[in-house]
Amino acid sequence: MSESANPPVTVPGGNAIQPRPILWLITLVAVGLSLFQLYSAGIQPLGLFYQRSVHLMLIMMLAFLIFPVFGPNRKRGVLGWVIDAAFFAGAMITGGYMVLYLDEIIRRAGFWSQTDIIVGCIAVVTVLEASRRAVGLGMTIIGVIAILYAFAGPRGELPWLGQFMPGILEHRGYNLDRVVGQLYLGQEGIFGLPLGVAATFIFVFVLFGAFLESTGAGKFFIDMAYAATGRQRGGPAKAAVIASAGMGSISGSAIANVVTTGAFTIPLMKRLGYKPHQAGGIEAAASTGGQIMPPLMGAGAFLIAEYTNTPYLDVVKVSILPAIMYFATVYLFVHIIALKQGMQGMARSELPQMRDVLREGWHFLLPLAVLVWLLAMHMSPMRVGFYAVVTMVAVAALRYAIWFLFVAPRQGQPVTLASTGRVVWAGFLKLVEGLELGARNAVSVSLACAVAGIIVGVVGLTGLGLKFSAMMMAFSGGNIVLALLMVLLASLILGMGLPVTASYIVLIVLVGPALTAEFGIPLLIAHLVVFWYSQDSNVTPPIALAGFAGAAIAGSKPMATGVQAWKFAKGLYLIPMFMVFNPEIIIGGPLHILAWNGLIAILALGAFAAALEGYLFTRMSWLPRIAISGAIVAVFYPNFMLEAIGVAVMIVAIGANWLASRRETHPAGTGTT
């Protein structure tokens, strides 16, 4: 059937124009993927390779359907259809071969047949192409470079390439069979830990977030935040911070969070008096923090749990205080700007009432409560996600049924066979919408993890991680601050071309051994530091994707908005450093030390916000701003004397600013009433 016979429609979650049969096929594959994931999560757990190979096969099929080969703004044409059909078939071969011949492959371990190698080559090329379309060219280029590096060396497929390698990066080189065996036929490549986490924990929680989104949870969180903070100074901006913390912990993407909550919060911030680039920057910084906010955090939190062999609940527990510190910093920035620009809150008549908000959306809290309770019971995160999704669907269906059976008749809408059929059909379509949206939202994360598996496989094969650690020691001279600065710069560079999850995986594989073995940083803290630094790529120019999304909604210049987002999100720099120098807040310690560390950290972050903005109770001169900046460094360094001096300097600077504001309000000789 020709395309002209079927009117094209826009695909949600992708900008490509698709003929209707392709949309039906996308829905079929997406729903099939989500149902398969729910089945394997809560009904019948599958073996490692079965689970991951079927997951990757369906993910790649979905990617080739949603993202045309020549981009979303060009028609596929005959050539495009041929290429897409070839890669679609390659995706089916990649997963199907592993499922059908897994026992034979295991028996041949290390002695691969020619068919194994050919299918492995198809798998690697197909994964890289799917990543190019769904994740971006940067991830694909890094994957290709990793493969070329494995081939470079005197015994490799490309011995001449090894001549251009610096001495420390040299290795023996590997042939095609060895590399393909490592990347496709083993447990350390494409089907390694990153894809394993994506195929189990991450997907089911992305699906949970999709059901919350499709049933209106975003509006519930936003209304609740407005009801709580709307009447305060800069109320809409504070609501943006709180709503982004709530919605961001379930959306799985800072950019999606900006688009979801920013559509409501940014216009209200502008109306209240925030400049457009400030409004976009505040939303971007708050949305980025959603990825570090328990209980659902970003996809990297599940990877941290697997890499460090730490229960996910423990990762959540130790992340609570740092997340509060981050959002407190953004909140203080918002409050200081509101004071500086003389803003007021919104009128009560413009705000929703908390009682009404909870009455309309209380059911959104039940699945979250079930999720937290099951995590606290030490149930597997995959099974927890399954029950959370089932609870969400059950609660939504029950609420729908109650309205239809009891509320609608009172409003003059009698229950008939026809109306019942319409309601059931509408509920079925809503269920399909949630299943499809969850699969769509997982495509980029899963493909990023698959290519990250290629990189991890090459690092393990060539020993690149240890070599990178040696280089890190040489460049930093053993100075831990310089080493952390190098990690930060590396995360920014990687973040320009990689999503946050992929950036975290690549970085932790390369710098993790140095941070733990050479600098003595505890394993969990090293992973949290890299995870936090990886978030910063969302808000740091020149490529600040969350900032640019905020700029699009705010109607401001992207770079100016990115700079504001970078400023508001500076807790992403300071808090990881505080974790390193004060590990008690993560690994535990005496209560008085924890209380002291928490107190001075929040004081330092608040003083930092005031110094950066140049205002607290009144305008600050340059001298106290410089003094506060130096005091923050002293506070974060693990020396009690320096901490005490730093705290004293901050208290003096803040106290002097308060006295200055009092003198401005009540000049000498005027008296007070």
Side-chain angles (χ1 to χ4, degrees):
M1 187 176 291
S2 66
E3 287 188 48
S4 59
N6 299 283
V9 256
T10 304
V11 179
N15 297 321
I17 302 299
Q18 307 275 18
R20 194 168 296 278
I22 297 299
L23 285 179
W24 291 340
L25 186 55
I26 288 172
T27 300
L28 181 64
V29 174
V31 172
L33 171 60
S34 293
L35 291 176
F36 165 76
Q37 293 292 155
L38 287 174
Y39 175 81
S40 60
I43 299 175
Q44 180 60 57
L46 301 176
L48 180 151
F49 277 105
Y50 288 115
Q51 169 82 24
R52 298 177 188 182
S53 58
V54 173
H55 173 84
L56 182 61
M57 176 182 70
L58 294 173
I59 283 286
M60 290 197 295
M61 290 167 62
L62 203 53
F64 293 127
L65 289 171
I66 294 175
F67 303 99
V69 62
F70 299 124
N73 299 320
R74 295 178 60 184
K75 290 185 177 180
R76 276 188 167 101
V78 175
L79 179 60
W81 282 115
V82 170
I83 294 173
D84 286 347
F87 278 110
F88 189 85
M92 296 179 68
I93 292 170
T94 296
Y97 184 79
M98 184 65 72
V99 171
L100 293 175
Y101 300 102
L102 181 60
D103 291 340
E104 290 87 340
I105 290 171
I106 292 174
R107 282 197 296 267
R108 297 195 286 269
F111 301 95
W112 316 118
S113 69
Q114 195 62 32
T115 306
D116 294 339
I117 301 304
I118 291 173
V119 175
C121 290
I122 294 172
V124 172
V125 172
T126 307
V127 166
L128 290 173
E129 171 60 12
S131 170
R132 181 192 69 82
R133 301 188 190 194
V135 182
L137 187 60
M139 190 74 189
T140 303
I141 290 175
I142 293 177
V144 171
I145 291 174
I147 294 171
L148 293 176
Y149 178 70
F151 287 145
R155 300 185 187 179
E157 296 285 348
L158 303 173
W160 57 270
L161 191 58
Q163 299 174 10
F164 299 97
M165 296 288 180
I168 195 171
L169 294 180
E170 288 180 354
H171 63 95
R172 58 171 296 220
Y174 297 90
N175 59 25
L176 182 66
D177 289 10
R178 184 72 177 86
V179 173
V180 171
Q182 174 84 355
L183 299 185
Y184 177 67
L185 299 165
Q187 297 184 30
E188 296 182 2
I190 292 172
F191 297 115
L193 181 63
L195 183 65
V197 175
T200 51
F201 308 146
I202 294 175
F203 188 97
V204 74
F205 280 95
V206 168
L207 185 60
F208 175 63
F211 272 109
L212 282 174
E213 183 179 337
S214 66
T215 52
K219 186 176 185 303
F220 169 70
F221 284 122
I222 292 168
D223 287 346
M224 194 161 63
Y226 276 126
T229 65
R231 297 189 66 194
Q232 300 177 18
R233 287 179 179 268
K238 294 174 180 176
V241 175
I242 295 175
S244 295
M247 195 61 194
S249 67
I250 62 173
S251 72
S253 166
I255 299 169
N257 196 0
V258 171
V259 175
T260 303
T261 59
F264 296 91
T265 60
I266 290 175
L268 284 173
M269 281 191 268
K270 290 170 61 179
R271 195 179 81 185
L272 196 68
Y274 288 94
K275 297 173 184 176
H277 61 285
Q278 287 179 328
I282 289 168
E283 180 59 51
S287 296
T288 298
Q291 307 307 293
I292 56 176
M293 184 68 183
L296 289 185
M297 305 176 70
F302 297 100
L303 288 161
I304 291 173
E306 289 298 301
Y307 274 128
T308 62
N309 197 27
T310 303
Y312 179 71
L313 179 63
D314 291 347
V315 176
V316 168
K317 287 178 181 177
V318 301
S319 298
I320 292 174
L321 179 57
I324 291 173
M325 290 162 60
Y326 175 82
F327 278 102
T329 307
V330 180
Y331 195 93
L332 285 168
F333 267 116
V334 166
H335 184 68
I336 290 169
I337 292 173
L339 292 174
K340 187 177 179 180
Q341 298 179 195
M343 298 179 190
Q344 300 299 321
M346 297 173 67
R348 182 187 293 271
S349 59
E350 297 179 290
L351 296 169
Q353 298 298 309
M354 183 66 77
R355 183 188 311 153
D356 297 335
V357 173
L358 290 175
R359 185 176 65 246
E360 293 297 321
W362 59 268
H363 59 290
F364 292 120
L365 299 176
L366 288 179
L368 291 174
V370 168
L371 185 149
V372 173
W373 177 65
L374 292 178
L375 282 176
M377 298 294 290
H378 299 285
M379 187 177 287
S380 162
M382 185 169 67
R383 189 62 62 91
V384 169
F386 170 78
Y387 286 123
V389 170
V390 170
T391 305
M392 181 72 250
V393 173
V395 168
L398 180 62
R399 183 172 171 81
Y400 213 178
I402 291 173
W403 177 88
F404 178 65
L405 294 174
F406 301 105
V407 179
R410 294 178 187 173
Q411 298 176 352
Q413 304 176 41
V415 177
T416 64
L417 185 62
S419 64
T420 302
R422 286 194 298 270
V423 168
V424 171
W425 179 247
F428 174 75
L429 291 179
K430 184 65 71 173
L431 176 64
V432 170
E433 177 189 337
L435 293 170
E436 181 179 355
L437 181 62
R440 286 177 177 274
N441 290 348
V443 169
S444 60
V445 176
S446 291
L447 287 173
C449 287
V451 180
I454 291 177
I455 298 165
V456 172
V458 171
V459 169
L461 185 65
T462 61
L464 181 60
L466 296 177
K467 296 172 183 177
F468 199 90
S469 296
M471 288 191 293
M472 191 172 171
M473 282 294 295
F475 289 138
S476 67
N479 186 299
I480 192 170
V481 176
L482 289 179
L484 291 174
L485 182 60
M486 289 177 61
V487 175
L488 177 59
L489 293 175
S491 73
L492 291 180
I493 294 170
L494 284 174
M496 293 179 186
L498 302 185
V500 166
T501 303
S503 178
Y504 157 72
I505 295 171
V506 174
L507 261 181
I508 198 61
V509 169
L510 293 176
V511 307
L515 292 179
T516 55
E518 306 296 341
F519 293 100
I521 299 175
L523 181 63
L524 181 57
I525 294 178
H527 279 261
L528 286 171
V529 167
V530 174
F531 180 55
W532 274 61
Y533 281 167
S534 298
Q535 307 295 328
D536 197 50
S537 61
N538 279 315
V539 291
T540 303
I543 303 178
L545 296 182
F548 293 171
I553 299 173
S556 57
K557 293 181 179 179
M559 289 305 294
T561 308
V563 170
Q564 290 294 311
W566 175 81
K567 180 178 74 173
F568 296 137
K570 283 291 74 50
L572 290 175
Y573 286 174
L574 296 176
I575 296 170
M577 188 178 297
F578 190 73
M579 294 180 197
V580 171
F581 291 140
N582 299 271
E584 295 84 6
I585 68 169
I586 299 298
I587 61 177
L591 182 60
H592 67 281
I593 293 180
L594 290 174
W596 169 254
N597 284 341
L599 177 65
I600 64 172
I602 291 176
L603 176 64
L605 291 168
F608 172 75
L612 206 58
E613 203 58 48
Y615 193 96
L616 187 55
F617 302 104
T618 186
R619 294 191 179 277
M620 279 186 176
S621 63
W622 280 103
L623 182 59
R625 294 172 72 177
I626 294 172
I628 286 175
S629 300
I632 290 170
V633 176
V635 164
F636 279 20
Y637 199 76
N639 182 292
F640 181 77
M641 184 59 68
L642 288 177
E643 285 181 356
I645 294 172
V647 169
V649 169
M650 286 190 295
I651 291 175
V652 169
I654 292 171
N657 186 256
W658 179 77
L659 290 174
S661 72
R662 296 286 294 173
R663 286 195 295 269
E664 291 175 3
T665 307
H666 307 294
T670 61
T672 59
T673 59

